[in-house]
Structure formats: C-alpha cells, structure tokens
Amino acid sequence: MMKFIVLVLGLGALANAAIAMGEAVAELDVNGDGMLSVSEVQAAYPDISAETFSEVDTNSDGALDDAELIAGQEQGLLPDMSVN
C-alpha cells in the first residue's frame, strides 16, 4: 500500500510540472502545434544555440515536447520556461 501511495504522489508531482510546462509552451508556441521549434525557442531565448536545441531534441524531430523541455532544464541546457 505504501508503494502505491508513493507512486500516486510521484505521478501527481509530474503532472503538475507538465501542466505548468504546458502553459509556458503555449505562450511560446507561435504555430500552436504544442511543441517548440528552434525558431520559437530562440525568439524567446536568443542565447540558445541550434546545437543546444539539437542536444535537447532527443528524438531528433526538430521540435521540443514537454518531456524534452523538462529534461533540458534539469540538465541545465535550457532556462526555466515555466516562469515566463
């Protein structure tokens, strides 16, 4: 039972981070596709290089989803976009 409670609490924390990140992405997401392109990221954060963007874009699809944004922030490659 204790493992279940810990799991539920952990999932709740992840959901809150994803919701906050989703709101930040919506503000930066010019084309409304729910993901951030290199040009959308650089419009808000011009110091982010194409190389850094590519490093964070782990699936190499040319766009950052919420999971990639969170991972990039945790690695210190991207600024905290949830406060903008």
Side-chain angles (χ1 to χ4, degrees):
M1 182 66 169
M2 185 62 145
K3 288 181 182 179
F4 177 74
I5 292 171
V6 170
L7 176 65
V8 169
L9 291 174
L11 290 174
L14 287 175
N16 286 339
I19 289 168
M21 189 58 58
E23 292 170 1
V25 170
E27 290 179 23
L28 302 177
D29 183 16
V30 176
N31 65 2
D33 66 354
M35 298 171 45
L36 296 178
S37 67
V38 66
S39 61
E40 290 169 329
V41 171
Q42 288 177 331
Y45 303 96
D47 293 339
I48 303 296
S49 68
E51 292 79 20
T52 299
F53 182 91
S54 293
E55 188 175 343
V56 176
D57 182 17
T58 55
N59 65 4
S60 301
D61 67 352
L64 302 181
D65 59 26
D66 284 349
E68 290 169 323
L69 287 170
I70 292 168
Q73 291 171 356
E74 289 174 351
Q75 295 170 358
L77 298 172
L78 296 175
D80 183 359
M81 296 180 184
S82 64
V83 295
N84 287 337

